């Protein structure tokens, strides 16, 4: 009833009559629908019965063939022909509706028995939508059991049909597997629903007549009630236009409309008085609003950040003083310009920001650049969309912060970090001098010994000392490899990402640290998966990470009885995506739970004073984060620690494919 109050009386009366009439009309429609459903069920039952009857005839024929096997050659042909004729006769005598009929085909689409097209192959036939419905029937029929009946509906255009339009056809079928026969019977749906259409022919005129009758009655009754209200509506319209002197006539009676008129006149007087009071109040509030606007204007103009608004077409509509100073332009140079003129990447960058606004609702702390008058300005922006009171989008709003100083500080920190990394490398090289000396001295001593032996037994051809000279060459090669790698490792380089095998920097780190581990009697166990996918990274920086973790493990096991370093490379996951993992485990003193949370903080170290700066793992963590990975730590105090360096796979190609295996 509340919803009816939104309409005029005439409409309310019409809707009231419809509320009464519509259930009756709905009942008629439901009856027609039920009648149609019953016709369809009866048609499907008739088709099913025909198919079942033909299926039993085929089974009888199969039994007849069993009898034929016991007869002589003279009786076989007559009995088989008789059974075949009986099936063909049955098919040609059956009719479904006006034009429906049964037929039999095999699974290759050959029409075995058909009223008009016997012997034709129809496997490739398509319906009016281009669907190969015969192939669909064959595929479905082969899946049916002996007691199952399949059903298919498809639009079919019969060239002999006078209507010359596709009509929906329903087909029921069964599959007789011993003979590979599909027994089918079908009919057009419009023939099935012919009776329902006849009923609808009478129903719809009756419904239309009922609706017209309801409309006429509603109109006549509304005329009886609407006229007294017209005067009240006219008076109300004049009041809405500001004329409060108009009064409604006919208020002297005792009926409901007279009472309404008297009440309306009283209300008009009250509204006139309240309006005068409201006008005085509006004047006061307007002055207060102007003061508030001036306050907020001062705040916007006084902020050091740039504030910009643009309409839905990207045209700048407002800039504050901070934005003008940031760009180095005057107000009239900015307002009216397209916002993407100030973006280095132009309109495409503006589209990217708008996509982010529509997807996320707002943009926060998004770093980009602006084209200033004399320079490119790095900025950090937060933006949102603007809407009017009706919820319609009218533009966008952005706050721009100049981060030139912040970028300069970040660059200074990056250079400082690079210097720290270089210092760590040099410190590592200093720690490894004794190991390198052993690595170089051993092959040199062997080379000198072999040369001494070779000088005592010189030869020209077929030299018996050839293997000794070959050994000298291998020793010198190892010396060259160690020295070259130390030079490469000690060189300061920027981050250069390339596709690589994670095992290479891992092997190189062991090449440097190997002698020191041997000197401390630390047993190294390697288990490297040579079939790992490649990663994208900087070999030099990753080697620094692995070397730092190995050196920490070495220091942790210095005074332990059991000294074993286990290094594995294997597959894993990062954020649900395939990843490559390097696990480095030691049998050192371990790390407590309190220390584990602070492990990657700058200047935090578990070593004694003077033995570490606490920057190694912090820098390693930063390097791995730059590679898109992470470092996980597992440790049991008193038993040992395991570091897992996890990096995302660069591609699905495996290392062995890269190597040509």
């Amino acid at each position: 009833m509340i919803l009816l109050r939104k309409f005029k009386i005439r409409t309310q009366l019409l809707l009231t009559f419809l509320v009464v009439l519509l259930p009756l009309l709905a009942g008629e429609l439901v009856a027609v629908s039920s009648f149609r459903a019953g016709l369809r069920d009866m048609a499907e039952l008739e088709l099913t019965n025909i198919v079942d009857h033909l299926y039993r005839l085929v089974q009888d024929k199969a039994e007849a063939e069993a009898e034929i096997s016991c007869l002589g050659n003279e009786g076989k042909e007559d009995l088989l022909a008789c059974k075949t004729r009986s099936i063909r006769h049955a098919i040609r005598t059956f009719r479904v509706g006006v034009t429906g009929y049964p037929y039999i085909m095999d699974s290759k689409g050959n029409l075995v028995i058909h009223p008009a097209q016997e012997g034709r192959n129809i496997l490739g036939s398509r319906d009016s939508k281009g669907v190969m419905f015969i192939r669909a029937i064959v595929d479905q029929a082969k899946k049916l059991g002996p007691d199952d009946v399949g059903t298919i509906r498809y639009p079919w255009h019969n060239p002999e049909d006078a209507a010359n339009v596709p009509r929906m056809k329903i087909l029921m079928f069964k599959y007789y597997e011993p003979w590979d026969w599909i027994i089918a019977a079908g009919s057009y749906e419009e023939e099935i629903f012919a009776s329902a259409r006849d009923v609808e022919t009478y129903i719809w005129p009756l419904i239309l007549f009922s609706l017209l009758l309801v409309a006429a009655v509603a109109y006549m009754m509304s005329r009886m009630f609407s006229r007294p209200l017209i005067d009240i509506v006219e008076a109300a319209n004049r009041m809405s236009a500001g004329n409060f002197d108009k009064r409604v006539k006919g208020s002297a009676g005792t009926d409901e409309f007279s009472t309404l008129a008297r009440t309306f006149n009283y209300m008009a007087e009250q509204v006139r008085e309240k309006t005068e009071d409201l006008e005085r109040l509006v004047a006061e509030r307007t002055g207060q609003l102007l003061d508030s606007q001036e306050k907020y204007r001062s705040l916007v103009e006084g902020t050091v950040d740039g504030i910009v608004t643009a309409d839905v077409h990207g045209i700048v509509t407002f800039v504050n003083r901070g934005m003008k100073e940031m760009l180095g332009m005057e107000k009239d140079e900015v307002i009216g310009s397209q916002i993407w003129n100030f973006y280095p990447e132009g309109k495409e960058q503006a589209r990217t920001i708008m996509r982010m606004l529509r997807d996320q609702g707002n943009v926060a702390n998004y770093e980009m650049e602006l084209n200033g008058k004399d320079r490119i300005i790095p900025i950090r922006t937060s933006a949102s969309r603007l809407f009017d009171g009706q919820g319609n989008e009218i533009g966008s709003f952005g706050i721009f912060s100049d981060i030139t100083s912040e970028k300069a500080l970040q660059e200074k920190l990056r250079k400082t970090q690079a210097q720290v990394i270089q210092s760590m490398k040099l410190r590592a090289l200093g720690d490894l001098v004794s190991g390198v000396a052993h690595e170089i001295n051993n092959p040199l001593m062997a080379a000198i010994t072999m040369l001494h032996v070779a000088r005592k037994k010189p030869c020209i051809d077929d030299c018996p000392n050839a293997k000794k000279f070959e050994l000298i060459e291998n020793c010198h090669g190892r010396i060259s490899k160690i020295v070259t790698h130390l030079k490469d490792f000690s060189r300061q380089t920027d981050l250069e990402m390339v596709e690589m095998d994670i095992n290479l920097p891992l092997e190189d780190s062991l090449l440097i640290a190997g002698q020191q581990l041997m000197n401390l009697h630390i047993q190294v166990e390697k288990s490297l998966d040579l079939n790992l996918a490649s990663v994208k990274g900087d070999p030099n920086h990753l080697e620094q990470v692995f070397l730092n973790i190995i050196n920490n493990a070495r220091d942790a096991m210095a005074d332990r009885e059991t000294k074993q370093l286990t290094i594995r490379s294997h597959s894993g996951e990062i954020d649900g995506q395939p990843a490559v993992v390097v696990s480095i485990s030691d049998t050192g003193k371990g790390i407590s739970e309190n220390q584990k949370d602070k492990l990657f903080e700058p200047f935090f170290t578990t070593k004694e004073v003077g033995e570490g700066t606490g920057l190694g793992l912090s820098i390693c963590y930063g390097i791995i984060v730059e590679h898109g990975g992470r470092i996980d730590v597992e440790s049991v105090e008193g038993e040992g620690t395991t570091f897992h360096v996890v990096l995302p796979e660069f591609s699905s190609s495996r290392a062995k494919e890269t190597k040509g295996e």
Side-chain angles (χ1 to χ4, degrees):
M1 296 301 294
I2 295 177
L3 294 176
L4 290 176
R5 296 175 185 174
K6 298 180 180 179
F7 304 103
K8 294 181 178 179
I9 292 178
R10 188 174 303 167
T11 305
Q12 291 182 26
L13 289 171
L14 178 61
L15 291 176
T16 302
F17 282 115
L18 287 177
V19 168
V20 177
L21 182 62
L22 285 178
L24 300 176
L25 299 178
E28 294 178 0
L29 294 177
V30 169
V32 173
S33 177
S34 299
F35 183 56
R36 290 175 62 90
L39 290 176
R40 175 179 293 174
D41 292 342
M42 290 176 61
E44 291 183 354
L45 179 60
E46 181 181 1
L47 292 174
T48 301
N49 290 336
I50 293 173
V51 170
D52 285 336
H53 178 71
L54 294 176
Y55 186 84
R56 287 193 294 272
L57 283 179
V58 172
Q59 283 183 322
D60 291 342
K61 182 176 179 297
E63 293 174 0
E65 285 190 345
E67 295 174 3
I68 291 171
S69 64
C70 300
L71 298 176
N73 292 329
E74 297 178 356
K76 290 183 179 179
E77 184 177 356
D78 292 339
L79 183 56
L80 179 60
C82 179
K83 288 294 184 178
T84 304
R85 283 196 302 272
S86 66
I87 295 174
R88 183 176 288 108
H89 176 74
I91 287 178
R92 291 179 177 177
T93 56
F94 274 118
R95 280 292 178 269
V96 182
V98 180
T99 60
Y101 57 85
Y103 63 88
I104 296 177
M105 67 177 177
D106 59 21
S107 63
K108 297 182 178 58
N110 297 312
L111 291 172
V112 179
I113 300 176
H114 191 275
Q117 303 183 43
E118 193 168 296
R120 181 183 170 190
N121 186 285
I122 60 171
L123 185 63
S125 298
R126 299 177 182 269
D127 62 19
S128 301
K129 294 184 178 180
V131 178
M132 299 179 69
F133 67 97
I134 295 297
R135 189 178 297 276
I137 292 172
V138 172
D139 293 340
Q140 184 179 348
K142 288 184 176 182
K143 299 175 182 178
L144 296 175
D147 298 326
D148 297 334
V149 178
T151 305
I152 187 171
R153 288 178 171 83
Y154 57 93
W156 180 247
H157 176 212
N158 190 343
E160 300 177 359
D161 194 345
N164 199 28
V165 294
R167 294 188 294 168
M168 189 60 67
K169 198 167 187 178
I170 179 172
L171 190 77
M172 312 292 287
F173 53 89
K174 293 187 72 171
Y175 181 55
Y176 187 64
E177 184 177 0
W179 288 1
D180 189 28
W181 276 12
I182 300 173
I183 304 166
S187 177
Y188 288 109
E189 286 192 349
E190 69 174 25
E191 296 177 4
I192 297 172
F193 300 132
S195 299
R197 285 197 302 275
D198 293 339
V199 174
E200 291 173 355
T201 303
Y202 299 102
I203 288 293
W204 290 113
L206 180 60
I207 292 175
L208 180 60
F209 175 76
S210 300
L211 291 175
L212 292 176
L213 180 62
V214 167
V217 173
Y219 176 77
M220 289 187 294
M221 294 187 67
S222 66
R223 293 283 298 175
M224 297 172 59
F225 297 106
S226 61
R227 179 53 57 187
L229 298 176
I230 292 176
D231 291 340
I232 297 177
V233 172
E234 291 179 353
N237 289 335
R238 292 189 181 185
M239 287 179 60
S240 64
N243 183 2
F244 298 101
D245 297 328
K246 174 68 176 177
R247 295 294 180 267
V248 180
K249 299 178 181 179
S251 59
T254 59
D255 59 277
E256 289 82 354
F257 290 110
S258 299
T259 302
L260 179 61
R262 288 193 296 273
T263 303
F264 183 88
N265 291 336
Y266 175 76
M267 179 191 67
E269 183 63 25
Q270 294 295 314
V271 169
R272 185 184 64 78
E273 296 176 0
K274 297 296 182 183
T275 301
E276 293 174 353
D277 295 339
L278 182 61
E279 288 175 350
R280 290 192 296 270
L281 182 62
V282 168
E284 296 175 1
R285 293 292 185 267
T286 301
Q288 296 175 358
L289 180 60
L290 291 174
D291 293 341
S292 177
Q293 288 178 339
E294 181 62 24
K295 175 182 177 181
Y296 286 115
R297 189 193 67 80
S298 300
L299 289 174
V300 171
E301 289 293 339
T303 181
V304 296
D305 291 332
I307 298 177
V308 179
T309 62
D311 63 17
V312 292
H313 302 293
I315 306 300
V316 177
T317 56
F318 171 80
V319 291
N320 71 335
R321 183 171 59 191
M323 192 66 188
K324 292 186 295 181
E325 294 176 353
M326 185 185 303
L327 295 174
M329 300 180 181
E330 295 299 325
K331 184 176 182 179
D332 55 1
E333 295 181 84
V334 182
I335 293 180
S337 301
Q338 293 171 319
I339 188 66
W340 53 79
N341 290 338
F342 303 99
Y343 296 159
E345 299 178 15
K347 186 179 292 186
E348 186 59 33
Q349 191 168 5
R351 289 173 178 164
T352 300
I353 295 175
M354 286 308 300
R355 279 196 298 269
M356 294 170 62
L357 283 174
R358 290 192 172 93
D359 293 341
Q360 305 172 14
N362 59 68
V363 175
N365 299 322
Y366 178 69
E367 293 190 8
M368 53 182 289
E369 293 180 338
L370 289 179
N371 292 325
K373 189 172 185 178
D374 301 318
R375 66 187 180 99
I376 299 296
I377 310 164
I379 59 100
R380 181 182 293 112
T381 181
S382 297
S384 61
R385 292 187 290 169
L386 296 176
F387 299 90
D388 60 16
Q390 288 72 42
N392 300 315
E393 184 176 356
I394 59 174
S396 57
F397 168 84
I399 300 177
F400 299 86
S401 301
D402 188 344
I403 57 173
T404 302
S405 301
E406 183 179 330
K407 286 291 184 182
L409 180 60
Q410 289 178 353
E411 179 62 19
K412 184 176 180 181
L413 289 174
R414 188 191 65 80
K415 291 180 179 179
T416 302
Q417 180 182 1
Q419 293 172 357
V420 172
I421 292 175
Q422 185 67 11
S423 299
M424 291 171 59
K425 288 183 179 181
L426 295 177
R427 178 178 176 273
L429 287 177
D431 293 340
L432 298 173
V433 167
S434 60
V436 173
H438 280 86
E439 289 284 349
I440 295 177
N441 281 334
N442 291 337
L444 280 178
M445 290 299 295
I448 293 171
T449 302
M450 293 301 103
L451 287 173
H452 180 71
V453 173
R455 288 194 189 97
K456 290 183 178 181
K457 296 180 179 180
C459 60
I460 298 176
D461 299 324
D462 193 19
C463 182
N465 293 320
K467 291 186 177 180
K468 296 182 178 64
F469 288 113
E470 183 180 353
L471 180 59
I472 294 172
E473 184 179 0
N474 292 338
C475 292
H476 286 174
R478 178 166 174 77
I479 294 171
S480 175
K481 181 178 179 181
I482 294 172
V483 173
T484 300
H485 184 69
L486 288 175
K487 289 169 62 180
D488 292 339
F489 179 72
S490 62
R491 187 181 301 117
Q492 183 172 354
T493 59
D494 293 329
L495 194 66
E496 183 177 353
M497 309 292 275
V498 297
E499 184 177 0
M500 55 172 288
D501 182 353
I502 195 63
N503 292 321
L504 297 181
L506 192 57
E507 291 279 17
D508 289 341
S509 62
L510 287 173
L511 180 67
I512 294 178
Q515 186 61 45
Q516 284 188 315
L517 297 174
M518 190 183 301
N519 292 343
L520 292 175
H521 306 291
I522 295 176
Q523 181 180 358
V524 179
E525 179 182 341
K526 289 193 305 180
S527 177
L528 306 183
D529 187 349
L530 301 181
N531 296 321
L532 287 175
S534 59
V535 300
K536 189 172 184 180
D538 185 302
N540 194 277
H541 284 70
L542 290 178
E543 181 181 343
Q544 172 63 33
V545 172
F546 297 146
L547 184 60
N548 188 276
I549 295 175
I550 291 173
N551 286 341
N552 286 345
R554 177 201 64 196
D555 295 342
M557 294 186 291
D559 56 354
R560 306 286 289 182
E561 292 185 7
T562 302
K563 301 178 181 181
Q564 179 167 333
L565 182 67
T566 304
I567 299 176
R568 293 193 310 125
S569 62
H570 53 95
S571 298
E573 287 187 357
I574 180 170
D575 298 329
Q577 300 298 320
V580 174
V581 183
V582 173
S583 300
I584 302 175
S585 304
D586 62 56
T587 57
K589 57 187 178 181
I591 305 169
S592 67
E593 289 296 326
N594 294 334
Q595 293 174 333
K596 195 186 302 184
D597 295 336
K598 304 177 182 179
L599 204 56
F600 297 106
E601 294 181 2
F603 306 109
F604 175 78
T605 179
T606 59
K607 298 179 181 180
E608 299 295 332
V609 177
E611 294 184 6
T613 63
L615 291 174
L617 285 178
S618 175
I619 293 174
C620 290
Y621 182 81
I623 292 173
I624 296 303
V625 170
E626 286 182 327
H627 282 70
R630 68 169 189 263
I631 301 179
D632 299 330
V633 182
E634 297 178 7
S635 184
V636 178
E637 193 169 6
E639 296 183 11
T641 303
T642 299
F643 283 82
H644 301 286
V645 179
V646 188
L647 297 173
E649 287 187 6
F650 178 64
S651 67
S652 60
S653 61
R654 296 294 177 182
K656 67 177 183 180
E657 295 174 355
T658 307
K659 296 174 182 178
E661 293 186 9

